[in-house]
Structures are given as structure tokens and as C-alpha cells.
Amino acid sequence: MDSKQINELVFTLGLSPSEKINTLEGLSRIKRYLVSFNVYGNFPSLVSKFGGPGEISQGFCRSAAVAGTIYKLDNHLKNYDPIKKIATFTNNSKVKVTEKIVCSPSQAPENAKYLPKQNTYEVTRLITIVKKSCKEWFSENESSAIVVFSPMSLPTKNKYPIQIIIMGASTGCCPNDQCIWYLSTIEKGEKARQDLESALLKMEESILRESEDGGFDLDGDLLNDKDLVVSKNDGMELINSVKLGKSFKEFVPKQKLVYLFKLCFTQYTAIKPFGIINEKIFQDIENNNSLNLDSLKLDNSNGSVPVDKDIIYSNMPSTEISYDGCVTEAKYLYKKIVGSDDDFFDVDFEDDDEDDATIGDNNTISDATSGVNPSVLDNSDGTQSNNQSRHHIDEEAIIDEEDEEEFNDEMDFEL
């Protein structure tokens, strides 16, 4: 295959963040795309509504909350006493720790000694909110899209692909007639910003050219009858591609795209751009960041123990736009705490046996399970899908009408 065909497969279907990917890794990514068809709809991608990937975290949080976890919002870990197992937060409240502490490097306590280095790799991001629905880029009943500029496809001669996630109003992330564009690249320094700005300009030109009020109309003055040729094989009308291509290049929009918000920033992470995700990636990071425990076990001057000696650190976000990386790391941390990931995301309730017995006696719910799956993802067409098996609910299930209004009020909240 020529380079263009390879780019189409590796960077668009495989969503590889780098051209440094071997054949096995490329095939694995393409396979992921192919086997995802007809899982949660016709298109092989699933998009989280109401805030993007944050819904994945909320799914885990809700699962843990149902099992008895308490969440303390708008607070950071200020200090931790590894001897007394007391955690102090920024509002000076204290909590007795009976299990493990899992902490992001950005949430590390003061005077941390084991803080892992996160400046090995860079991810530069550009987020914009435009005053246009961008519906021309969405299929029917959809409100999101993914765009990739492969290497060397921009005027800046980009070395790495530019990956873009487009979220329309129906995703719940922005008001009507607006759209959010998330651009990212693993290029470094000022060159990364140049590549992102170049991709942004191409996006702007494209949406103005394709939108209904952008002034580019194939049915208008652009083409005439002489520019249409009827195919001898099937009678289909073909457009003069030379004139069409020239019109694309010479197109001048009648209006400008309005940017309501624009933010460019660089994140640092220890997670390298990967081809196939596996636990070894996180094990290598941990090994590279580990210090000599014996030398830090006790400080000879005051006999103190490092405040974060028993803290398990996660990693900062990587460049991967799929959920493979964050889910794999979550499983890795879970396994590190409990020793196995066999029951990962399988919440065990204390009253399972009692509830199941009640359900069986009332004959109201069939196919009940002992686990729970609160992580519900929204398809781009507005429907919801569970990321585990779906459970059948008997149509004769009894609902207490007196409690129904109270239940609805409890679920009515603002993000």
C-alpha cells in the first residue's frame, strides 16, 4: 500500500498518536475498530455525554458510593501521617485511613518524597468553543465526530498526527448552535502550537465551506451544466473534479467563524505513546520512578518517615484519546491494592442475599444479578448503553408511586 492508504488505516481507524508503531500494534488497533461495529450502534465509537471522559470517572465514583464510599469535594490532600494513618485536607479536616491512599501527582501532600516524575512526555492540547453547530460534520442522530490530520498533511509539515474530538450540543457539553473542538498532539514546544493552529485554521475553512450559510453551494453558481458528465455505465452524474478542486482552493467565506473560547496548554506525563496498552507500561513507570526504600525509610536527623511512603500514585493523562489507557491503569491500581483484578468493578453489597430473596418472593424482577453496573455511557444519538451485559427488567415490576416523586427530585442535579 502507498503511504496515504497506510495513514488512513493507522491514524484514522487505529487512532495511533505516533507513526512509530509496528505492524502488530497497528493491526491490533485496526482490529479494535472493526470489532466495535454494532456493539452500541452502527458506528464503532462510543462518546461520553455531559462532560466527556469525566463520565467514566463518575461511573467509578457512583459505583464506589453505592458501596459506602464518601466523597469530599473541593479539597486536596494537605498532609499524611504514615505512622498514625491520619490524612489532613486543605480545610484542616482529618480522616483516619484504614486501607490505601491512591493519589494523583497533582494532589500530592506537602513534602512528598516519592512523587513520580511526570515530565518525560508532552501532550499539547488546544480547546476551542465555536459559535456554530457544525451539524454538517455529523451523521443523522449523531452529535460528535473525530478528525485526524496525518503526519505531513498540514502546511507546517507536522511530524505527528493531530487528533481532534468534536462535540456538538446534543452531547450535553455546550449550548445549542455551539460546538467544542478538542485538538491534541505529542509534538513538543512551539512547534506543537504551530501545528495545532494550522489544524485549527483548516477546520475553520472546512466548516465555513461546508455549512449552509458559508457561501459554498454546489447547486448554486459554482457549477453549470457543462461541468456535469453522465457516466456511460450507470447513468450517474459526475462532477468536473478539476474545477471543483480549484473552487475549494479559491473559496473565500462570506463570514468569519466566531470563537467563544480558546485555550492552548501543555501537559506532562510519564506515559509514553503506546501501540498496544498493557500493564507493563505502568509497571515500567513505577520501576523507573522508584527510589531506594532503605535510604528513605528513616531520616537520621529526626527519625521521620516520608509522608507519602504508603501512597500509591497514579499518572497524569496520556495522549491516548480512547479509554484503553485509563481503564487499564485503573485495573492495575486495583490489582495492586487487592492482589487481583478478577472482581474489578464488581460491587458487592452487604444486603445482596436479602434483596435477592425479596425479589424472588415478590416475583417483580427477573434475571437479577449480585453485581451492579452504574457506568452508563451515552451514544451520540442520545441513547444509553451499559458497558457490561444488559439485564432484563420484568414489565410487571412494582413501583411505589408515593416515593417516585422524591426519587426523581434526588436525581435532579446540575453539573
Side-chain angles (χ1 to χ4, degrees), residues 35-51:
V35 299
S36 298
F37 275 103
N38 293 322
V39 176
Y40 295 116
N42 296 329
F43 195 71
S45 294
L46 193 65
V47 177
S48 301
K49 298 181 67 174
F50 309 114

Side-chain angles (χ1 to χ4, degrees), residues 120-159:
T120 308
Y121 302 96
E122 293 184 16
V123 184
T124 303
R125 306 182 189 275
L126 176 60
I127 302 175
T128 64
I129 302 178
V130 298
K131 193 176 181 180
K132 185 172 285 291
S133 66
C134 300
K135 61 182 180 180
E136 293 77 16
W137 288 344
F138 306 142
S139 299
E140 186 177 358
N141 297 324
E142 294 183 352
S143 58
S144 59
I146 296 177
V147 176
V148 178
F149 289 94
S150 59
M152 307 302 292
S153 63
L154 294 170
T156 54
K157 304 297 180 182
N158 54 308
K159 181 180 179 181

Side-chain angles (χ1 to χ4, degrees), residues 146-185:
I146 296 177
V147 176
V148 178
F149 289 94
S150 59
M152 307 302 292
S153 63
L154 294 170
T156 54
K157 304 297 180 182
N158 54 308
K159 181 180 179 181
Y160 301 100
I162 307 297
Q163 298 178 324
I164 307 168
I165 299 178
I166 305 170
M167 308 283 278
S170 295
T171 63
C173 298
C174 60
N176 292 330
D177 298 322
Q178 294 183 20
C179 192
I180 307 178
W181 301 350
Y182 299 93
L183 298 81
S184 63
T185 179

Side-chain angles (χ1 to χ4, degrees), residues 239-346:
I239 300 176
N240 186 330
S241 59
V242 175
K243 185 173 183 179
L244 183 62
K246 182 180 179 181
S247 301
F248 265 68
K249 293 181 178 181
E250 297 177 353
F251 168 73
V252 178
K254 297 180 180 179
Q255 59 183 230
K256 292 184 177 181
L257 185 63
V258 178
Y259 289 92
L260 302 175
F261 176 85
K262 185 176 179 182
L263 173 66
C264 187
F265 58 96
T266 299
Q267 288 182 314
Y268 296 92
T269 181
I271 305 177
K272 65 181 180 180
F274 54 82
I276 301 177
I277 187 62
N278 56 72
E279 288 187 358
K280 188 177 183 302
I281 293 177
F282 303 104
Q283 291 173 350
D284 291 342
I285 294 174
E286 185 175 355
N287 293 335
N288 292 335
N289 289 330
S290 64
L291 301 174
N292 191 327
L293 298 181
D294 293 334
S295 63
L296 287 178
K297 187 174 183 180
L298 288 175
D299 188 326
N300 294 330
S301 61
N302 54 22
S304 63
V305 177
V307 295
D308 57 342
K309 175 181 178 297
D310 298 325
I311 292 179
I312 301 175
Y313 286 106
S314 61
N315 288 283
M316 299 301 289
S318 71
T319 185
E320 180 68 22
I321 64 174
S322 75
Y323 298 139
D324 289 356
C326 58
V327 173
T328 301
E329 183 175 13
K331 292 181 67 176
Y332 173 73
L333 295 174
Y334 183 89
K335 182 178 180 180
K336 189 173 181 179
I337 295 173
V338 303
S340 172
D341 62 358
D342 293 339
D343 58 348
F344 177 72
F345 208 47
D346 182 15

